[in-house]
Amino acid sequence: MTTNHFKKRTLKNTAFDWGLECVVRSAPLLSKSARLRRGVLQTGKYIATRLRPADPLLSSLPPGVLTDQAEFGQAFMQTFDRILARRLSEATLRKLSGNLIHGALVQGGERSAITRFSKQFGMNPPSTLTISPGKTCNLQCTGCYASAEPTAEKLDWSTFDQIITEAKTLWGVRFLVISGGEPLAYRSEGKGLLDAAEKHPDVFFTFYTNGTLIDEKTAQRMAALGNVTPAISVEGWRERTDERRGAGVFDKILAAMERLRRAGVFFGISLTATRNNAEEILSDKFIDYFFEQQGAFYGWIFQYMPIGRSYTLDLMPTPEQRLWMWKRSWEIVRSRKIFLADFWNHGTVSNGCIAAGRARGGGYMYIDWNGHVSPCVFVPYSPVNVNDIYAKGGTLNDTWTNPFFADIRGWQESYTQSKGNWLAPCLNRDHHGVLSRLIAKHEPDPIDENAHMALLDPDYEHGLEHYGKLYGNLSEPVWRNHYLQDRPQEGLHVSRS
């Protein structure tokens, strides 16, 4: 690379960062002026498309993947416009713009930490971390991935706090995901999740919650903190939600959303797609209700994975439903500009599987209430425990370097280099044979009895391998024709049977 080219690229990246920084730092002012908001957002779109930072990875991405990422970026910009148009608390606007958009997305975390990690290990650190500090929950939902219930299983506050601190200082993380159990039910040494958010104001926390513990006081505190966003779990309309989560839960969710709106809290929804509700949660009526009437800003779709309490392959969306969900979810993103991410069908947005702290950056890892470190929330096998690492004077880096995780990262890199199908990116569900071989090689511990039973169940293993082959055969032509060659998808017809 020539010196002049390097200078041009550096100048271009600096202009990009400066332009987006101007947009996000003016968020509180922009929220009060529709005219200013329109003008600055148009400028932001220009910056994003014309002054995009040089990234060597982009030149190697398939054309259809670049199209997906650009269109998801447009949905993000439109979501930012919705954020500015609604009455969010000033603390929320400041932390959204400063912590999440500028700190995590524009700057990519704390650059000095990322640079140190890259020099030591030759690759980027994980960009985020999912932590389940406690297993306890006030509900007992059918098929819960965590088998959550009233229990004493939890991380000590000091351990929880150390994990957050090291994620910042060692990996440059500025965006953390909190799961459970019910995150708002976690207590240790008299402290809970919102105390962690208060102690770490430079981190933006998103947490998955059943919503039933969000009272007026909790909503007001979230608004005052500004750096927390609840993603409230919904299974569909009242009948389906109450069927899985308990009688009256749907109405409690709506009451929680009303409190969050009044307080000015940024919130979204979390949807578990099953064979029984896939069409319901992606219907126009459902999307309109929660994004327009209830005021959700974003949505995450988790396709049911057969792990946890009473696991069964029968609840997974069929391969045909899953491909229909791919097409339908992109229709919503493109036509409605709604930030709605499907963790399996939108592998093109994340550049494939992100488990095990992926080597190319953008990856994550998972730590549960007992300290087990797993490659992913949905791969419940742990080769190392953070409590043991800390007792020996180690750090999070000592978990990341574990050979089980390193081999997963190696598989991801090989799959990417061979232009593997990113519509089928999941190591557990789409490539279960690969996961089984890695588990046999490294012998990580199942994190609970359900994971242990699944490991010994031949019908489970064969069923997931069969599912992966069926979906791979169904989606591979779409990957080749639509993504590798960037052909239009409008003519694609997918059965919902």
Side-chain angles (χ1 to χ4, degrees), residues 412-430:
Q412 291 167 337
E413 190 65 23
S414 175
Y415 193 68
T416 298
Q417 293 298 326
S418 64
K419 297 192 184 301
N421 178 3
W422 285 355
L423 298 184
C426 181
L427 180 62
N428 193 348
R429 184 166 59 171
D430 299 322

Side-chain angles (χ1 to χ4, degrees), residues 295-312:
F297 288 98
Y298 60 87
W300 305 113
I301 298 176
F302 295 90
Q303 295 181 34
Y304 172 81
M305 282 290 290
I307 63 172
R309 181 183 296 132
S310 303
Y311 66 82
T312 172

Side-chain angles (χ1 to χ4, degrees), residues 13-24 40 43-44 47 51:
N13 291 0
T14 302
F16 177 87
D17 287 354
W18 175 83
L20 280 187
E21 183 171 359
C22 288
V23 174
V24 299
V40 173
T43 303
I47 292 168
L51 296 177

Side-chain angles (χ1 to χ4, degrees), residues 260-281:
L260 294 170
R261 287 195 305 272
R262 286 201 305 263
V265 175
F266 177 65
F267 73 92
I269 56 175
S270 173
L271 307 167
T272 300
T274 70
R275 188 168 303 187
N276 301 325
N277 74 346
E279 289 80 12
E280 182 172 312
I281 63 175

